[in-house]
Amino acid sequence: MSRAFLVVLDSVGIGGAPDADQYFNDGLPDTGACTLGHIADACAQGRSDDGRQGPLHLPHMGALGLFHALELGCGTPKAGLCPASPTGRWGAATEVSKGKDTPSGHWELAGLPVPWDWHYFPKTTPAFPQEITDLVCEIAGVDGILGNCHGSGTAMIDVYGEEHLKTGYPICYTSVDSVFQIAAHEETFGLNRLLQLCETLAPHLHKLRLGRVIARPFVGGPGNFIRTPNRHDYAMALPAPVLTNWVQDAGRRVYAVGKIGDIFSMTGIDEVRKGPDEVLMRHLSDLVDEAEDGSLTFANFVEFDSLYGHRRDIAGYARHLEWFDAELGKLLARLRPGDMLLLTADHGNDPSWHGSDHTRERVPVVIAGLGAGSVGQVGFVDVGASIAAHLGVPSQGPGKSFL
């Protein structure tokens, strides 16, 4: 019986989204953003030699067809990066959901376009209505919050971390995504207290159709604050079954690697394995060896996005792509006959772009284990439908298999 591994390289977009002009970073449209393409350009031009050197080196994903997918997505060939005959199947996927955030991308990849407009907070200070601030204070047992604005997570703890230690006020912030994020020190505020705060607050904000309440714990002291891996996303419940449900309802086992369990509110998931990307790669490697026939492993590698995309770190992003590619090479030879490993992304986050937010882009579809050739331009929903078809389980969404 076949197995499927659906691996999301968080934010590794390939440009070309037809509606990019409707999405913005710092007031400027995302038209022309291309995460993978601009990283490859920077590497070729010697502008990303911090900790690495030379052209972007992705021999395994390149051989499968990643750069062919890039050319299909944005229309720009990358000389010297595309092998003449890819060994995998490849294509470019386009999203229809109104959003360029994590839930929108993952839900649609799993077969469910988001059926509503998300709630967003205005880019003002304060960003939150007084009643939300009052609710946070009531739940946390404090008389004030810090932040109350749009901001990058690492910048927020650098700016407000010391005051947080003195006052005990949680650091609350948002972004262009439909999120309410709360950062607090694991030791002085308490990890369990932070998680309880977010869990209690989430249902109230979900009623507004806010996608996620995110706990962002950190440790350390002034000048050396560091976020920990104990992040937890409290996502809005899905309004209909998705790929994980389809597979589980067919009596198969579903493994979630990374933040997949949080994104899908644990619906249709049997086991979760978490950690930073290096640990997640070990989990994925173990599952390639151990996962049962007929199972689905759904993984998200978030550090492309969280550590390099939002921070506009081109060299760091390139290093992480090259690390992932080297590790992927160790897995491919251990896939069983009949296995399908599909690499994709949920949105873009072009590290060469203005602003610090996600970018609206098409995403690659690159498949190992099912022969070679183009699958063309497809929809995000077609990814879930194709995996269901490979596993021999009924698809209940609008997507069509491209296998």
Side-chain angles (χ1 to χ4, degrees):
M1 189 181 295
S2 300
R3 303 184 300 172
F5 298 87
L6 172 55
V7 181
V8 177
L9 282 63
D10 201 304
S11 85
V12 183
I14 54 173
D19 56 359
D21 62 336
Q22 300 173 36
Y23 295 83
F24 297 86
N25 262 276
D26 277 358
L28 299 174
D30 285 344
T31 309
C34 185
T35 300
L36 181 62
H38 288 157
I39 293 169
D41 289 343
C43 291
Q45 296 162 12
R47 294 187 288 109
S48 58
D49 286 351
D50 183 9
R52 59 165 309 282
Q53 195 168 14
L56 187 62
H57 185 62
L58 306 178
H60 303 291
M61 290 190 287
L64 289 172
L66 177 63
F67 294 106
H68 290 75
L70 171 62
E71 183 174 348
L72 183 62
C74 70
T76 304
K78 296 299 173 188
L81 295 178
C82 289
S85 301
T87 59
R89 303 190 70 177
W90 51 272
T94 303
E95 184 176 11
V96 299
S97 297
K98 293 182 179 180
K100 52 176 180 175
D101 54 14
T102 294
S104 298
H106 282 79
W107 288 15
E108 194 168 328
L109 287 169
L112 178 66
V114 178
W116 52 63
D117 290 342
W118 295 110
H119 178 80
Y120 301 94
F121 293 111
K123 199 165 189 178
T124 57
T125 302
F128 309 126
Q130 188 61 45
E131 56 268 27
I132 291 179
T133 300
D134 292 343
L135 183 58
V136 173
C137 291
E138 178 184 347
I139 296 169
V142 297
D143 56 13
I145 66 172
L146 301 173
N148 202 343
C149 59
H150 281 236
S152 166
T154 51
M156 295 300 290
I157 62 175
D158 288 342
V159 171
Y160 294 105
E162 186 171 3
E163 189 176 356
H164 166 72
L165 293 178
K166 294 176 181 177
T167 64
Y169 293 173
I171 305 168
C172 302
Y173 60 102
T174 187
S175 72
V176 295
D177 294 337
S178 182
V179 294
F180 189 99
Q181 305 194 67
I182 306 179
H185 200 280
E186 282 197 2
E187 297 161 358
T188 61
F189 190 90
L191 176 59
N192 289 337
R193 183 184 175 199
L194 172 61
L195 297 177
Q196 186 61 49
L197 167 59
C198 293
E199 183 177 1
T200 305
L201 178 65
H204 298 277
L205 298 188
H206 290 163
K207 290 177 182 178
L208 303 175
R209 289 186 172 164
L210 189 86
R212 290 176 292 165
V213 174
I214 306 178
R216 289 286 201 172
F218 63 95
V219 294
N224 190 35
F225 291 120
I226 302 172
R227 294 200 294 195
T228 76
N230 294 319
R231 162 186 172 158
H232 192 92
D233 294 35
Y234 296 87
M236 192 170 173
L238 283 77
V242 291
L243 175 65
T244 54
N245 303 107
W246 310 339
V247 175
Q248 192 181 64
D249 291 347
R252 315 288 184 79
R253 193 162 181 82
V254 179
Y255 296 94
V257 177
K259 62 180 183 177
I260 296 298
D262 294 343
I263 296 167
F264 291 95
S265 302
M266 288 303 297
T267 181
I269 291 169
D270 294 294
E271 183 179 329
V272 175
R273 303 187 183 190
K274 286 190 169 186
D277 278 8
E278 184 176 355
V279 173
L280 297 184
M281 184 58 76
R282 292 201 294 269
H283 290 320
L284 180 59
S285 178
D286 289 342
L287 287 165
V288 166
D289 292 336
E290 301 167 3
E292 301 91 336
D293 288 345
S295 63
L296 167 66
T297 296
F298 196 165
N300 172 285
F301 286 82
V302 72
E303 291 176 6
F304 297 103
D305 185 59
S306 62
L307 297 186
Y308 308 113
H310 286 299
R311 300 183 190 184
R312 297 303 189 248
D313 180 355
I314 300 175
Y317 209 129
R319 289 196 306 271
H320 207 57
L321 283 166
E322 291 173 339
W323 164 80
F324 182 91
D325 187 83
E327 295 298 318
L328 176 68
K330 302 173 187 177
L331 303 183
L332 293 175
R334 306 204 320 268
L335 293 175
R336 301 174 188 169
D339 282 350
M340 170 190 193
L341 188 149
L342 190 152
L343 303 173
T344 188
D346 52 344
H347 50 71
N349 201 349
D350 189 337
S352 73
W353 211 239
H354 38 256
S356 61
D357 297 315
H358 296 154
T359 43
R360 179 73 165 186
E361 301 180 41
R362 288 189 169 109
V363 300
V365 174
V366 178
I367 307 168
L370 298 183
S374 173
V375 302
Q377 295 278 6
V378 300
F380 274 37
V381 289
D382 299 331
V383 171
S386 300
I387 290 175
H390 175 72
L391 293 175
V393 303
S395 170
Q396 302 172 35
K400 297 181 180 179
S401 173
F402 46 68
L403 300 182

